[in-house]
Amino acid sequence: MTGRILVVDDDPTVAEVVARYLLRDGHEVECVPDGRTALDRALDAPPDLVVLDLMLPGIDGLEVCRRLRERSPVPVVMLTALGEESDRLTGLELGADDYVVKPFSPRELALRVRSVLRRAQGGGLLSSEQGVLRDDGLVVDVSAHEASLRGETLALTAREFDLLAFLLRHPRQAFTREQLLEHVWGWTFGDSSTVTVHVRRLREKIEVDPTNPARIQTVWGVGYRYGDAAS
């Protein structure tokens, strides 16, 4: 999967190295040094994915992510420093799809970009499982990569869509966060809080009462399962 990538980083050396690896992967790349320019470029020529450093002059990366998510479901891969766990979780809450911790391997970043693009373009881990999944007004069309609730289209990121489709395809089956990371994200290691954040965001979009969820249920001591909303 290739696409138009907007790289937002005020460190010209980092931006140049990232761009070189992404170009080598066949992407079209544009680099900008600050949040204001990134927002302007994203409006003028919407990219297929944004690689976004959180530490930016002027408008910081978290605010850029929030404003991007208000306008479109464009995938966002964050670049965060090792000690910025709170910012990383905030970025995921705002709708970022993935993150890479600095110092990072440019090759790892390129692989993460490819993975997120594949999901965003309907070629994720569920791409071989076609069909339409339904539950009490919730409709997930895996083939079309679309989801709706009571006739209203749901604005889901690629990760949110894959997580919802996976859980809905396995009703009443409990999964640990680590299992969900492997099945949905394709990671055999990683921060399981990523799953927690995505579950919370999904609940806000599909539950009548997110604080008392009927669809995505917590199984204490295990993880999560998809329940029966009609029960």
Side-chain angles (χ1 to χ4, degrees):
M1 293 287 179
T2 60
R4 292 186 61 258
I5 312 298
L6 181 65
V7 176
V8 190
D9 198 307
D10 63 329
D11 185 329
T13 301
V14 172
E16 190 274 333
V17 170
V18 169
R20 184 167 68 246
Y21 272 80
L22 294 177
L23 287 167
R24 191 177 299 171
D25 260 9
H27 304 292
E28 180 183 342
V29 181
E30 178 181 3
C31 298
V32 298
D34 60 82
R36 171 59 63 191
T37 305
L39 290 170
D40 290 342
R41 292 301 299 147
L43 280 179
D44 292 341
D48 297 308
L49 183 142
V50 177
V51 174
L52 178 63
D53 186 24
L54 293 190
M55 298 298 292
L56 295 172
I59 303 175
D60 68 20
L62 291 175
E63 180 64 14
V64 171
C65 184
R66 185 187 69 78
R67 296 190 192 183
L68 286 173
R69 187 56 71 236
E70 285 178 347
R71 296 178 170 118
S72 76
V74 58
V76 174
V77 176
M78 298 183 299
L79 304 180
T80 72
L82 185 60
E84 294 176 342
E85 182 178 2
S86 60
D87 284 347
R88 186 159 63 249
L89 293 178
T90 301
L92 291 170
E93 289 276 13
L94 291 171
D97 295 84
D98 207 344
Y99 66 86
V100 177
V101 177
K102 293 181 176 180
F104 59 86
S105 158
R107 192 61 199 152
E108 177 193 0
L109 174 60
L111 290 172
R112 292 290 182 92
V113 165
R114 186 187 304 171
S115 173
V116 173
L117 269 180
R118 183 169 62 247
R119 282 173 170 78
Q121 297 174 9
L125 297 178
L126 301 172
S127 60
S128 62
E129 303 180 25
Q130 305 301 311
V132 178
L133 308 171
R134 304 175 187 273
D135 175 51
D136 190 39
L138 176 65
V139 179
V140 176
D141 188 332
V142 178
S143 303
H145 209 265
E146 294 177 349
S148 62
L149 180 61
R150 300 181 188 90
E152 296 292 329
T153 300
L154 293 170
L156 302 179
T157 66
R159 297 287 192 189
E160 290 170 351
F161 182 91
D162 278 1
L163 178 59
L164 177 59
F166 179 82
L167 290 172
L168 187 53
R169 196 178 289 280
H170 300 88
R172 305 296 300 169
Q173 183 175 343
F175 295 93
T176 66
R177 291 168 179 82
E178 290 74 19
Q179 287 173 323
L180 291 172
L181 271 179
E182 182 175 357
H183 288 298
V184 178
W185 276 257
W187 301 353
T188 54
F189 63 91
D191 185 354
S192 62
S193 61
T194 299
V195 176
T196 305
V197 171
H198 279 75
V199 166
R200 184 159 58 243
R201 282 176 20 207
L202 263 181
R203 283 172 170 167
E204 291 172 353
K205 295 178 180 182
I206 69 173
E207 300 284 1
V208 174
D209 180 4
T211 63
N212 185 29
R215 298 181 190 273
I216 302 180
Q217 302 171 348
T218 298
V219 181
W220 298 109
V222 181
Y224 303 103
R225 70 183 177 202
Y226 192 92
D228 184 356
S231 63

